[in-house]
C-alpha cells in the first residue's frame, strides 16, 4: 500500500468517528482494582476519544476466555477487542490458543512487529511472546502479553496509530 493510499484510508476511517472497544484482561492474580493494564487501556481509549464498550477480568482458563471472547464478538457493540495476558508459553498461558483457533483472518504483521519492538526493550525474551491479531466474526481482535510495558508498547506503537484504520477496514 502506498503512503498516499494509506493516508486516504486513514482519512476515510476518521470520518467514521470513534471506535468502540472491549478490553479483556486475562489474569489469575489481578482484581479490578489492581488491573493496571485494564485501567491504562480504558483511560487511553477514552482520552483518544473512543468508547469502552465492555471490560472483563477473566481467569486464565481457556473455557472462560473463549466464552467472553465469543459473547463480545457475537453480539457486543465492540468493533475491536483488546486482550492482555496469557500469551506466554507457561502451562497457564492459554489466551493465544483460544484466540488463534477463532481468527477468520490473521494479521501476522502485528505479532511480527510487536516482537521486533519488544526485542528492543527485553532482548531475546521477546521470542516468548505469542502476541497476535486478526479478525473474528467481523471484529478486530488483538492479544498482547500482560506485562504493563508490553501493553503500553502495543497500544502506543501499534494499536492507537492504526485503530481507526483497522476498524474501518474490517467494516467496509
Amino acid at each position: 500500500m502506498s503512503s498516499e493510499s494509506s493516508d486516504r484510508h486513514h482519512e476515510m476511517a476518521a470520518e467514521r468517528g470513534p471506535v468502540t472497544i472491549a478490553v479483556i484482561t486475562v489474569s489469575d492474580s489481578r482484581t479490578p482494582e489492581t488491573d493496571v493494564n485494564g485501567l491504562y487501556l480504558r483511560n487511553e481509549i477514552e482520552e483518544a476519544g473512543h468508547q469502552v464498550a465492555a471490560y472483563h477480568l477473566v481467569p486464565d482458563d481457556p473455557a472462560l476466555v473463549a466464552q467472553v471472547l465469543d459473547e463480545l464478538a457475537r453480539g457486543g457493540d465492540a468493533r475491536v477487542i483488546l486482550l492482555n495476558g496469557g500469551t506466554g508459553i507457561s502451562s497457564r498461558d492459554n489466551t493465544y490458543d483460544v484466540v488463534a483457533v477463532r481468527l477468520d483472518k490473521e494479521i501476522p504483521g502485528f505479532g511480527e512487529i510487536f516482537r521486533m519492538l519488544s526485542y528492543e526493550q527485553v532482548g531475546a525474551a521477546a521470542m516468548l511472546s505469542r502476541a497476535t491479531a486478526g479478525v473474528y466474526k467481523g471484529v478486530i481482535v488483538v492479544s498482547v502479553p500482560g506485562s504493563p510495558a508490553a501493553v503500553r508498547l502495543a497500544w502506543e506503537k501499534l494499536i492507537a496509530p492504526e485503530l481507526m484504520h483497522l476498524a474501518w477496514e474490517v467494516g467496509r
Side-chain angles (χ1 to χ4, degrees), residues 17-59:
V19 178
T20 51
I21 305 166
V23 175
I24 304 171
T25 295
V26 179
S27 175
D28 290 331
S29 60
R30 293 187 179 150
T31 66
E33 297 76 33
T34 63
D35 179 13
V36 294
N37 294 335
L39 294 168
Y40 169 80
L41 287 170
R42 288 180 286 163
N43 183 60
E44 290 295 310
I45 290 165
E46 291 174 358
E47 284 202 7
H50 303 294
Q51 297 172 308
V52 177
Y55 164 73
H56 296 273
L57 177 61
V58 183

Side-chain angles (χ1 to χ4, degrees), residues 26 60 62 85-97 128 130:
V26 179
D60 202 339
T87 63
I89 60 171
S90 80
S91 62
R92 289 296 296 160
D93 291 325
N94 297 295
T95 304
Y96 172 84
D97 305 301
L128 301 176
R130 296 188 299 159

